[in-house]
Amino acid sequence: MTPETILLILIILSIANYGFDIVLEALNLKEGKKALPKEAQGIYETEKYDKSMEYQAVQTKFGFVSGGLSFIISILFLAFGGFGWLNSVLEPHIIDDAFRALAFFGILFIASDLMGIPFQLYSTFVIEEKFGFNKTTPKLFILDKLKGYGLGAILGGVLLYVLLFLLTSLGVQFWWVFWLVITLFMLFMNMFYTTLFMPLFNKLSPLEDGELRTAIEVYSKKVNFPLTNIFVIDGSKRSSKANAFFSGFGKKKKVVLYDTLIENHSIKELVAIFAHEVGHYKKKHIIGSLVSSILQTGAMLYIMSLFIFNENLSVALGANNLQLHLNLIAFTMLYTPISFITGILSNVVSRKNEFEADYFAIESTNPTDLPLALKKLSVDNLSNLQPHPTYVFFHYSHPPLLKRLEAMKR
Ligand SMILES: [Zn+2]
């Protein structure tokens, strides 16, 4: 395939991708303007419902502007050989290929992040503020940015360096060695994310003794869940939105509750939410999604090995000869149709898992507790009560509230 054809394909892919997104967002926005469905009456008060619709509308319109701008910039950069140009600027200064690649990605990352900052500021300090969610201070915003850059530079830099090293020393055989490296990295992250990395951004503390802890312990014993770690995270530092999640496996498994969740829910509701998380563990969802992402990564690396040494990819991006880092970018773009499909599949599986975890929770607790907790969560977070089904199919990792309530009735 000639470089011109490759460039054309890359441009068509980005336009298709963006166009598809716009259509979905527009559909979803239109759907949200419909009157409250009968099943949803009584969950939201009219005032809250209006506010949730306004929140959805503001967010969608904001997405149109920020997404549109980043689409225009990236397509121009692509079409006019911006990637090749950046490489040629760096070439006289950094001869070593691997270090040039690191600088190349570093610059692209920082540039795109800097362009995103005005939008992040607007989203946090205008939109979230207006709807009463924002708790982030400007100081925290800056600290988060700096820590994020530092962590990204270390983790991303090391992985990228290893990848480039393997590419140059092993040729096409790189894929399975790097797969091994990435797999170890994913396992490591899964086990230590909450102990090593989360504390950089949040405070995690063991759930204190008291009524809630006792209730959770009683429940754990009842369902034979080896309770080792329940942590509370200070999510209230950034937002009043609430959440809970399960992380790690084996001895490292952990249930993490947001302080905002504890604040707004009764003990019974919290136990039901905890039960939902235990459901994910009992139904092997955690291990399942880890295995599936390891397999997906392997497949992607193998497909990458078929393309990564093709000089025409670099030329398509504006270089004169093979540059592995340019090929990485071109490959990522060429891979979007496949990642689009795997993304849909993992959302389908994830939604099925949510139903299963809900079901586990209502089987093992008072069956009205979880529905009540989910309704409250939905209202507090101003969630969209009636997203468009097509939008849900492509984008939602959790089923919408009404579907979950309906499923729990059966
Ligand atoms: Zn869940």
Side-chain angles (χ1 to χ4, degrees):
M1 223 186 279
T2 65
E4 291 76 21
T5 319
I6 295 172
L7 180 60
L8 190 65
I9 292 174
L10 294 179
I11 292 176
I12 291 172
L13 281 178
S14 345
I15 295 176
N17 208 349
Y18 178 68
F20 181 78
D21 245 21
I22 286 280
V23 171
L24 276 191
E25 292 289 347
L27 269 183
N28 202 36
L29 188 62
K30 214 172 133 203
E31 185 83 3
K33 285 184 182 141
K34 287 189 189 162
L36 199 57
K38 210 163 64 216
E39 319 87 87
Q41 280 161 11
I43 298 178
Y44 280 49
E45 287 165 26
T46 323
E47 191 201 337
K48 272 274 178 191
Y49 181 67
D50 290 345
K51 205 173 164 196
S52 85
M53 288 207 304
E54 196 196 337
Y55 185 50
Q56 298 307 324
V58 168
Q59 277 186 317
T60 308
K61 284 169 193 159
F62 174 72
F64 282 147
V65 177
S66 63
L69 193 73
S70 91
F71 168 72
I72 291 170
I73 292 173
S74 55
I75 203 119
L76 288 177
F77 203 71
L78 175 65
F80 290 102
F83 295 105
W85 166 80
L86 178 59
N87 181 61
S88 68
V89 171
L90 293 174
E91 228 164 7
H93 305 287
I94 313 174
I95 317 241
D96 182 87
D97 284 333
F99 283 111
R100 192 168 65 254
L102 289 178
F104 177 84
F105 282 111
I107 291 172
L108 283 182
F109 174 77
I110 301 261
S112 80
D113 197 75
L114 287 179
M115 277 189 286
I117 283 182
F119 293 103
Q120 291 164 12
L121 287 171
Y122 187 80
S123 164
T124 309
F125 295 105
V126 179
I127 300 180
E128 295 293 294
E129 186 74 38
K130 183 181 169 206
F131 288 90
F133 292 127
N134 180 45
K135 296 274 180 275
T136 312
T137 58
K139 185 183 159 203
L140 182 62
F141 184 89
I142 296 167
L143 275 178
D144 277 356
K145 273 267 159 243
L146 295 177
K147 287 181 202 166
Y149 285 161
L151 199 61
I154 296 169
L155 295 181
V158 169
L159 281 180
L160 189 63
Y161 189 85
V162 171
L163 172 62
L164 291 163
F165 173 79
L166 293 175
L167 278 168
T168 36
S169 53
L170 298 179
V172 276
Q173 292 302 319
F174 86 94
W175 76 271
W176 63 269
V177 182
F178 192 64
W179 186 23
L180 211 67
V181 173
I182 278 282
T183 301
L184 291 175
F185 177 75
M186 281 156 86
L187 292 176
F188 172 80
M189 282 308 263
N190 228 283
M191 290 203 282
F192 295 102
Y193 180 67
T194 48
T195 28
L196 288 181
F197 300 109
M198 271 188 106
L200 293 174
F201 298 92
N202 281 89
K203 209 172 102 197
L204 277 106
S205 33
L207 178 63
E208 284 168 23
D209 286 337
E211 222 182 317
L212 177 59
R213 178 148 198 131
T214 316
I216 286 179
E217 277 166 3
V218 169
Y219 172 79
S220 299
K221 203 166 269 167
K222 183 177 133 192
V223 294
N224 200 13
F225 174 70
L227 182 70
T228 38
N229 300 303
I230 325 168
F231 280 80
V232 181
I233 188 173
D234 60 343
S236 59
K237 177 171 158 184
R238 295 193 181 78
S239 168
S240 60
K241 286 184 182 171
N243 204 352
F245 63 90
F246 195 107
S247 99
F249 49 86
K251 282 209 167 58
K252 290 285 171 195
K253 62 177 167 300
K254 225 178 237 180
V255 175
V256 181
L257 305 173
Y258 276 54
D259 55 353
T260 41
L261 187 78
I262 297 178
E263 217 168 276
N264 294 329
H265 292 267
S266 69
I267 306 258
K268 279 175 141 192
E269 289 164 11
L270 290 166
V271 171
I273 292 170
F274 178 81
H276 170 99
E277 299 305 328
V278 171
H280 280 308
Y281 168 78
K282 288 269 184 184
K283 301 281 172 189
K284 306 207 167 23
H285 298 156
I286 318 286
I287 250 355
S289 64
L290 186 62
V291 169
S292 123
S293 40
I294 290 172
L295 292 179
Q296 281 180 38
T297 309
M300 183 199 71
L301 288 170
Y302 174 72
I303 299 172
M304 188 166 133
S305 74
L306 307 175
F307 289 87
I308 197 71
F309 295 106
N310 182 341
E311 186 173 27
N312 286 347
L313 293 185
S314 292
V315 180
L317 293 193
N320 302 319
N321 50 15
L322 174 65
Q323 301 285 335
L324 287 174
H325 45 290
L326 292 188
N327 275 19
L328 278 176
I329 290 190
F331 173 73
T332 316
M333 290 195 246
L334 283 175
Y335 196 70
T336 46
I338 300 182
S339 58
F340 180 74
I341 292 166
T342 54
I344 295 171
L345 289 178
S346 63
N347 274 339
V348 168
V349 173
S350 167
R351 289 193 302 263
K352 183 187 79 60
N353 289 350
E354 290 307 320
F355 283 131
E356 282 184 15
D358 282 350
Y359 199 69
F360 179 87
I362 57 163
E363 289 266 274
S364 57
T365 59
N366 180 358
T368 54
D369 291 346
L370 187 64
L372 194 65
L374 292 180
K375 283 181 199 171
K376 244 196 213 175
L377 261 177
S378 179
V379 177
D380 290 346
N381 292 349
L382 293 177
S383 304
N384 190 353
L385 258 195
Q386 42 185 358
H388 195 282
T390 317
Y391 190 91
V392 172
F393 178 76
F394 288 107
H395 285 312
Y396 271 45
S397 62
H398 286 54
L401 176 70
L402 294 181
K403 289 268 180 290
R404 290 175 79 172
L405 294 178
E406 195 185 310
M408 281 189 277
K409 271 188 212 145
R410 273 183 242 129

